[in-house]
Amino acid sequence: MATHNLLLLPGDGIGPEVMAEVKRVIDFFNKKGPDKFTTEEALVGGCCYDAHGVAVTDETVAKAKAADAVIFGAVGGPKWDKVPYDARPEAGLLRLRKDLALFANIRPAIVYPALAESSSLKREVVEGLDIIILRELTGGVYFGEPKTINDLGNGQKRAIDTQVYDTYEIERIGRVAFELARKRRNKVTSMEKRNVMKSGVLWNEVMTALHEREYKDVQLEHMLADAGGMQLVRWPKQFDVIVTDNLFGDLLSDIAATLTGSLGMLPSASLGEVDAKTKKRRALYEPVHGSAPDIAGKGVANPIAMIASFGMALRYSFNLGKQADMIDQAIAATLAKGLRTADIKSQGCKVVSTSEMGSAILAELEALAA
Ligand code: IPM
Ligand code: MG
């Protein structure tokens, strides 16, 4: 029986509340098997800044590198609006992504049948939706240098962010996109802005060449990222896997999330390269939603994205596809019974708390295991 070591980083705001529900799911699998999970917890984000003056400590980064997977809640909140830029809560998350080289961020947008009415779009537009936004996560304007605000000495300042992509960075995320598509509906849509950005020109070139060389069996389509955003809300079912850079991926995945009814529904997996020797890859799993400070501490947050993120860990880190499917089925069954957290409430449904939603999903898991 395999044992996997998890580092839990609940973070700020609703992070600890939704993580509490994941811990119950971990306990469930520890009882039922087939694998065992050990967990350790650490601070990240604003709470870490309060305790240590940084958004993540070196010790925690080392633990994250050594763990079989990191399960991450959320960071940030108005309390830390004034902390120095390098110590802001988000810096902890960005450092983890960079130091663990988690270049591939998989953000699936799936509309559960019971939630087709919760979307701001018409039922027929979103019903049955199942797409993946694959976001490049360690390059682009998030990390490019220089990144500064310079004083020009004449009462003006100049802010500089730099968008940088090397061939290898585009190629490796492209590979992940084509491999994912092969196991799905075999279509990749690559999004960039080659009409205004050099990085877009290279992105397009490298994707085209990689496709030609290694993935001719997959359908490749190119779209300008602004048109892609429009198409995502016009007819999202035309897509299968969308591959795009760090910044466009950030924007487009929020759009994709809202198609599903609520930001509270979208899980994500951030993966590194597979190690040639150990065959393992570093990984961090986090809900796409943030720390939602406005509802933190009230017990009303939706734990589904966090629980589904743990489901992605089972699938992508531990090869437990059947157990991951169980989690998805338990979530779907709970929603089908009409239970809703406040963010996805609709007429005729029962509004429940974070822990009630967790309990209901656990009850479905128990039933599926019986
Ligand atoms: C996300 C978030 C982060 C990002 C923030 C919290 C730094 O919006 O994961 O989408 O911009 O990448
Ligand atoms: Mg975002």
Side-chain angles (χ1 to χ4, degrees):
M1 181 176 54
T3 299
H4 313 291
N5 304 313
L6 305 175
L7 179 66
L8 309 184
L9 300 175
D12 308 317
I14 62 169
E17 294 164 54
V18 293
M19 188 68 80
E21 303 312 310
V22 165
K23 288 185 202 165
R24 299 170 71 193
V25 175
I26 294 171
D27 289 343
F28 167 84
F29 284 108
N30 272 338
K31 264 190 266 133
K32 302 283 174 185
D35 292 8
K36 282 256 182 280
F37 300 93
T38 59
T39 60
E40 192 177 347
E41 232 174 280
L43 298 176
V44 70
C47 58
C48 185
Y49 176 78
D50 290 344
H52 304 291
V54 287
V56 65
T57 63
D58 294 345
E59 193 195 349
T60 299
V61 172
K63 279 182 185 163
K65 283 184 177 169
D68 293 316
V70 179
I71 313 292
F72 188 99
V75 289
K79 182 178 173 201
W80 301 284
D81 273 351
K82 299 249 152 50
V83 310
Y85 184 78
D86 289 332
R88 72 199 190 288
E90 292 77 6
L93 174 59
L94 296 178
R95 180 170 168 203
L96 284 166
R97 289 175 180 171
K98 192 70 177 174
D99 285 11
L100 273 65
L102 306 172
F103 69 93
N105 182 215
I106 303 175
R107 298 188 159 186
I110 292 167
V111 173
Y112 290 91
L115 282 194
E117 291 302 338
S118 302
S119 174
S120 56
L121 299 188
K122 294 194 194 91
R123 172 181 271 280
E124 67 263 27
V125 177
V126 296
E127 196 165 38
L129 183 72
D130 173 7
I131 63 174
I132 286 180
I133 310 278
L134 178 65
R135 170 187 178 192
E136 199 291 326
L137 202 62
T138 51
V141 76
Y142 272 62
F143 297 100
E145 296 286 349
K147 193 175 192 65
T148 53
I149 299 179
N150 299 327
D151 202 324
L152 299 180
N154 58 354
Q156 296 283 306
K157 290 181 183 176
R158 177 171 295 155
I160 305 174
D161 289 292
T162 309
Q163 165 90 343
V164 196
Y165 272 107
D166 290 358
T167 304
Y168 81 95
E169 292 177 286
I170 303 169
E171 228 166 58
R172 69 181 177 183
I173 192 73
R175 261 200 194 96
V176 176
F178 290 121
E179 298 289 342
L180 279 172
R182 273 183 179 162
K183 294 193 192 122
R184 298 168 48 88
R185 299 187 300 280
N186 218 32
K187 179 177 174 189
V188 170
T189 307
S190 168
M191 295 191 187
E192 30 60 16
K193 283 281 289 178
R194 64 185 178 282
N195 51 349
V196 282
M197 297 168 79
K198 289 291 185 185
S199 57
V201 172
L202 184 66
W203 184 281
N204 183 279
E205 230 173 75
V206 173
M207 285 294 170
T208 305
L210 176 66
H211 174 253
E212 187 65 29
R213 221 172 44 237
E214 296 175 35
Y215 295 99
K216 275 198 121 158
D217 55 300
V218 182
Q219 185 192 347
L220 172 66
E221 159 188 86
H222 299 282
M223 224 178 248
L224 296 174
D226 54 344
M230 182 269 288
Q231 290 297 340
L232 254 182
V233 291
R234 194 189 67 81
W235 192 245
K237 285 186 237 177
Q238 70 188 281
F239 298 113
D240 180 17
V241 176
I242 294 172
V243 61
T244 190
D245 79 8
N246 205 341
L247 182 62
F248 294 143
D250 182 41
L251 307 179
L252 294 169
S253 62
D254 265 25
I255 298 179
T258 202
L259 301 174
T260 70
S262 164
L263 262 179
M265 297 299 299
L266 216 70
S268 87
S270 304
L271 308 175
E273 205 82 75
V274 178
D275 186 290
K277 264 199 237 120
T278 62
K279 300 274 177 276
K280 285 188 182 179
R281 68 194 329 177
R282 294 222 169 98
L284 178 148
Y285 298 88
E286 60 169 320
V288 172
H289 64 68
S291 58
D294 51 321
I295 58 163
K298 297 186 180 156
V300 299
N302 185 349
I304 291 179
M306 185 79 250
I307 292 174
S309 296
F310 178 67
M312 289 188 83
L314 297 181
R315 193 180 305 283
Y316 289 100
S317 282
F318 308 128
N319 208 13
L320 294 170
K322 185 167 161 253
Q323 285 68 25
D325 288 344
M326 275 171 71
I327 290 186
D328 292 340
Q329 284 162 23
I331 292 170
T334 304
L335 293 171
K337 286 191 174 149
L339 268 63
R340 301 283 188 276
T341 41
D343 56 311
I344 48 174
K345 71 169 181 249
S346 62
Q347 262 204 336
C349 288
K350 180 167 177 231
V351 176
V352 296
S353 68
T354 308
S355 62
E356 285 168 334
M357 182 58 92
S359 300
I361 292 170
L362 276 166
E364 295 297 339
L365 279 173
E366 293 281 359
L368 284 166

